[in-house]
Amino acid sequence: MELFALEHRGLWRRTGVRVCAALCFVYCVLWGCVLDYQWLDFGSSDYAASVYNNHFDGYCMIRTYKAQAAACGDTMTERTLRRMVRDYNELGHPGLQSKADWVLAETYLTVLYPDLDDPDTFLPMIYYVDGAELTDFYGRRQQALERRLERERQEGLLTAADVAMLLEMDSRVETPWRYEWAQGWDYAVGSLGGMGRRTAPFLAFALAFVFSWEWHSGTAPLLHAAKYGRRKLALARIFSGLAFTAELFALVAGGRLLAQLVYLGTDGWDIPIQVTDPLAVAPWNMLQAEAFAMAFVFGGMIGYACLVMLLSAWGKSGVRSLVLALAIVYVPDLLEGYLPRWVQSALEILPLVRSANVIYRTDVYHILGRGVWAPYLLIAVPVPIALACVPLAVRQWSRRQRT
């Protein structure tokens, strides 16, 4: 414990680590959350081409959006959809770029009522669709979901067993859907789910030199005489890096949740995720989706931190470790479309490569002949990765110190 405390204090004393933590908080919480709520995403717009021209009135606009949604009722049915369409047109087409739920209404029309689309106009369907034709909301939703799954089966992405599994999961979604203003929760869950990728560069900069820094500081010979031994020192260094990762997650996630409580409150936590994506199959509400996103990001950060420290233990060059660590997260995106599907799927299970928004998708991985829904696999994979990396890093660094 004493050795861990020494290593952890030593890690935080490094200027680069403290700068990384501060920049991560500024980027992920102040810029990527507070300013989004108050200005960039939820601020009112005068139809400007750039979000940077939005007004700094997000807090007030969120209350306006909630009031507009409350006028449509507390359940999502064809009646609610008709009211959305009617209100949008009576208000003089306020624009689909706002965070009001007009964009959800347009999504429902496009996905569930494609037969009402007018090919002779370039206007969104919400402008001209006849409300009287918006019938059988849940029947059309079921048909659209089955068509999508069948198309994916024909493309070889799903098997018949996968389709049956996803439909069984969807059968547990309660109808009619609870409805309140949903865009705020959609942003909260989606942005939190992608937070891991945003923290990846800061984790890489902070941890890529955990083992390689002593070669640059000239302290490597002293490590041979350390009273604790090489393996204990390596373990203490790894656990101090994991503690830093957990602290960074708590700093960022805590800041984002605080901002969410201030701007959104707790209203709407029990909205099913199908309100924001009508073809999602998970029987979860927004609070459950956010809890999954937090667990997904935390596990991904822990798994990624172990990979970064393994790379640091593998060689004397911290820069090389840093480049390789960044490549783990960003190279799969660059190679997307150039690799076989199975290779892309294998790369996507690496920590922080995908976001927690996978809960809205119907991706299935096949393990030993059984289909596993992608979110279940992706949230579990960082655990064995971390468990494998720790002993490898200890062994590699200890062996290197003998040379």
Side-chain angles (χ1 to χ4, degrees):
M1 197 64 186
E2 178 187 3
L3 183 56
F4 165 79
L6 289 171
E7 285 294 325
H8 194 52
R9 283 198 298 269
L11 181 64
W12 271 106
R13 282 173 183 164
R14 296 180 206 167
T15 302
V17 171
R18 286 181 287 181
V19 169
C20 281
L23 289 178
C24 186
F25 181 81
V26 170
Y27 177 60
C28 295
V29 178
L30 299 183
W31 176 264
C33 185
V34 175
L35 286 182
D36 277 353
Y37 280 127
Q38 185 63 26
W39 176 32
L40 298 175
D41 267 30
F42 293 88
S44 59
S45 171
D46 295 327
Y47 300 96
S50 172
V51 295
Y52 296 104
N53 292 321
N54 285 359
H55 299 294
F56 204 75
D57 58 356
Y59 186 87
C60 295
M61 290 305 300
I62 286 172
R63 272 68 200 160
T64 301
Y65 298 146
K66 287 185 175 183
Q68 290 173 346
C72 295
D74 58 0
T75 56
M76 175 54 68
T77 62
E78 56 266 22
R79 191 173 179 181
T80 310
L81 184 55
R82 291 184 198 128
R83 176 64 184 265
M84 288 180 171
V85 172
R86 189 191 74 187
D87 288 355
Y88 183 81
N89 288 281
E90 287 183 352
L91 289 172
H93 311 117
L96 297 177
Q97 74 275 18
S98 75
K99 284 297 180 179
D101 279 347
W102 317 125
V103 68
L104 291 183
E106 178 63 21
T107 299
Y108 297 145
L109 295 174
T110 303
V111 174
L112 307 185
Y113 299 90
D115 53 304
L116 302 182
D117 186 24
D118 184 357
D120 297 326
T121 179
F122 294 101
L123 292 173
M125 291 178 66
I126 196 172
Y127 278 74
Y128 60 81
V129 73
D130 183 359
E133 297 182 279
L134 302 178
T135 60
D136 193 22
F137 181 86
Y138 290 103
R140 282 181 170 263
R141 184 258 175 185
Q142 189 66 28
Q143 294 171 8
L145 175 60
E146 290 175 358
R147 285 197 302 268
R148 173 180 172 179
L149 295 178
E150 178 60 22
R151 183 173 63 252
E152 293 183 355
R153 187 191 68 80
Q154 293 176 356
E155 293 172 354
L157 301 177
L158 299 175
T159 65
D162 296 337
V163 172
M165 176 187 68
L166 294 170
L167 288 176
E168 189 280 328
M169 187 184 302
D170 179 70
S171 68
R172 290 182 268 128
V173 177
E174 296 182 1
T175 57
W177 302 336
R178 173 95 164 79
Y179 174 69
E180 287 187 35
W181 178 62
Q183 288 286 74
W185 277 94
D186 184 49
Y187 167 82
V189 173
S191 61
L192 180 62
M195 187 182 73
R197 289 176 63 86
R198 296 188 183 125
T199 61
F202 304 101
L203 272 178
F205 275 99
L207 301 180
F209 298 88
V210 162
F211 286 107
S212 57
W213 67 273
E214 70 268 7
W215 298 98
H216 303 281
S217 61
T219 60
L222 298 178
L223 296 176
H224 295 283
K227 67 177 181 179
Y228 298 102
R230 290 184 293 267
R231 290 187 177 275
K232 288 185 178 180
L233 183 59
L235 278 173
R237 193 163 290 181
I238 289 173
F239 286 127
S240 71
L242 293 178
F244 168 80
T245 303
E247 291 159 356
L248 186 65
F249 170 81
L251 180 69
V252 174
R256 294 183 69 91
L257 289 177
L258 179 61
Q260 178 183 329
L261 286 173
V262 170
Y263 282 94
L264 302 183
T266 58
D267 299 336
W269 65 268
D270 54 347
I271 300 171
I273 63 173
Q274 285 73 22
V275 170
T276 56
D277 187 337
L279 299 187
V281 297
W284 295 347
N285 59 37
M286 287 296 182
L287 185 61
Q288 291 170 318
E290 188 168 44
F292 174 88
M294 292 188 67
F296 181 92
V297 171
F298 179 70
M301 289 176 66
I302 292 295
Y304 182 69
C306 289
L307 282 172
V308 174
M309 288 187 285
L310 174 60
L311 292 172
S312 179
W314 211 270
K316 300 179 182 180
S317 174
V319 174
R320 182 178 63 183
S321 302
L322 174 61
V323 171
L324 291 175
L326 294 175
I328 290 174
V329 176
Y330 299 110
V331 167
D333 285 345
L334 297 176
L335 297 180
E336 186 177 6
Y338 299 96
L339 297 172
R341 176 62 189 171
W342 69 271
V343 177
Q344 294 182 41
S345 298
L347 291 175
E348 287 173 353
I349 68 174
L350 292 173
L352 303 186
V353 172
R354 297 192 72 171
S355 76
N357 296 336
V358 71
I359 63 173
Y360 295 102
R361 299 175 60 86
T362 55
D363 297 353
V364 174
Y365 287 89
H366 295 95
I367 308 296
L368 300 176
R370 291 181 59 88
V372 180
W373 188 43
Y376 293 152
L377 178 67
L378 294 177
I379 199 173
V381 161
V383 175
I385 288 179
L387 293 176
C389 286
V390 170
L392 286 175
V394 171
R395 180 181 178 185
Q396 179 61 31
W397 185 77
S398 300
R399 178 186 298 174
R400 197 182 69 194
Q401 293 304 310
R402 298 192 189 101
T403 61

